[in-house]
Amino acid sequence: MSERLQPGDTAPAFTLPDADGNEISLADHSGRKVIVYFYPAALTPGCTKQACDFTDNLELLAGAGYEVIGVSPDKPEKLATFRDKEDLKVTLVGDPSKETLAAYGAFGEKKLYGKTVTGVIRSTVIVDEQGKVERALYNVKATGHVAKLIKDLEI
């Protein structure tokens, strides 16, 4: 089971392909706050709701100095379909190897319908301008999470 990040930890570096196959690195966002959220799979109801919520609030978050990156184990082709179908504006990157998911504590054992399974743990990590973890939230709900995040961040 991967270790969960704590506030003050250095956010693990990553470089992953986006929906168009371009490489996106956390380092590209140095000096800016980044909301990195981890979700199980593109084109599923909960993940669609969450991605649409982030898209709907992207201007508000950007105005408060936050950029948003969504990470799932999906391949770029599926991410492109997801983005285009749902008209998503958030940056989506794929981590088929699950190395970044594990590094962030977002992959491991979880409860699903009462059973223990291994998979993506829906999580959100807020990285500050210096690349440090400001907040690490695990087992978040797909619905209402973005609204709660905005409230908690006092945006």
Side-chain angles (χ1 to χ4, degrees):
M1 181 122 162
S2 44
E3 286 293 312
R4 293 186 170 189
L5 297 175
Q6 300 296 324
D9 288 350
T10 297
F14 64 81
T15 300
L16 297 168
D18 70 4
D20 298 314
N22 300 316
E23 298 218 320
I24 303 293
S25 296
L26 183 60
D28 298 341
H29 301 274
S30 184
R32 294 178 290 218
K33 291 185 177 196
V34 185
I35 297 170
V36 185
Y37 81 96
F38 300 89
Y39 63 99
L43 301 167
T44 58
C47 298
T48 298
K49 173 77 177 118
Q50 190 177 22
C52 288
D53 282 354
F54 270 117
T55 292
D56 293 346
N57 289 286
L58 205 55
E59 275 187 40
L60 179 69
L61 292 165
Y66 291 92
E67 298 188 15
V68 180
I69 300 173
V71 182
S72 73
D74 298 306
K75 291 185 165 54
E77 302 78 33
K78 187 173 180 187
L79 295 175
T81 302
F82 186 35
R83 178 195 61 203
D84 297 345
K85 180 176 187 264
E86 302 298 337
D87 196 27
L88 300 173
K89 303 291 182 234
V90 294
T91 300
L92 301 174
V93 298
D95 180 25
S97 73
K98 302 177 186 76
E99 286 176 27
T100 299
L101 287 156
Y104 276 79
F107 188 83
E109 283 188 359
K110 64 179 184 174
K111 292 270 188 221
L112 188 65
Y113 305 113
K115 291 189 164 90
T116 299
V117 298
T118 299
V120 176
I121 299 162
R122 191 180 302 276
S123 311
T124 300
V125 175
I126 299 167
V127 181
D128 70 15
E129 299 90 339
Q130 286 77 43
K132 299 280 188 200
V133 174
E134 191 174 291
R135 295 174 191 232
L137 310 163
Y138 293 94
N139 296 308
V140 301
K141 301 278 181 239
T143 304
H145 174 60
V146 176
K148 183 177 181 339
L149 200 58
I150 288 168
K151 183 175 179 276
D152 291 350
L153 294 172
E154 300 175 358
I155 297 173

